[in-house]
């Protein structure tokens, strides 16, 4: 009976050690490969409407999102990262 108990404890400990290795391996993998490198240099000019004030600019994937305020209205315009061509815009308005 004691031999069975020791064997069960050893097997249980082995499973637990393998579980810890798997968890820490997954965490290490995420830490080392989770960050993608950003382009080395981003340069260029994006033409904005006259009188527009830039409130924020964010790069995500292959898009640049520029949030601007113009005449009291807020809108976000999207541009292609490589060509700086306009890809669309999103306006914001308050409920009446």
């Amino acid at each position: 009976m004691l031999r069975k108990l020791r064997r069960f404890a050893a097997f249980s400990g082995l499973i637990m050690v393998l579980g810890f290795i798997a968890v820490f391996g997954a965490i290490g993998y995420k830490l080392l490969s989770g960050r993608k490198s950003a382009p080395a240099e981003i340069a260029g000019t994006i033409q904005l409407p006259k009188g527009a004030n830039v409130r924020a600019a964010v790069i995500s994937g292959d898009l640049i999102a520029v949030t601007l305020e113009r005449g009291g209205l807020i809108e976000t315009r999207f541009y292609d990262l490589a060509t700086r061509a306009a890809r669309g815009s999103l306006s914001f308005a308050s409920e009446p």
Side-chain angles (χ1 to χ4, degrees), residues 46-68:
I46 294 176
Q47 297 293 325
L48 297 175
K50 193 172 216 163
N53 294 321
V54 176
R55 298 185 85 187
V58 177
I59 297 174
S60 178
D62 63 341
L63 288 178
I64 302 173
V66 180
T67 302
L68 50 95

Side-chain angles (χ1 to χ4, degrees), residues 67-81:
T67 302
L68 50 95
E69 182 178 2
R70 183 175 61 152
L73 298 174
I74 297 175
E75 69 177 305
T76 301
R77 293 187 175 201
F78 300 96
Y79 299 92
D80 187 74
L81 181 61

Side-chain angles (χ1 to χ4, degrees), residues 13-27:
L14 179 65
I15 294 296
M16 187 171 59
V17 168
L18 290 175
F20 279 124
I21 290 172
V23 168
F24 288 122
I27 291 171

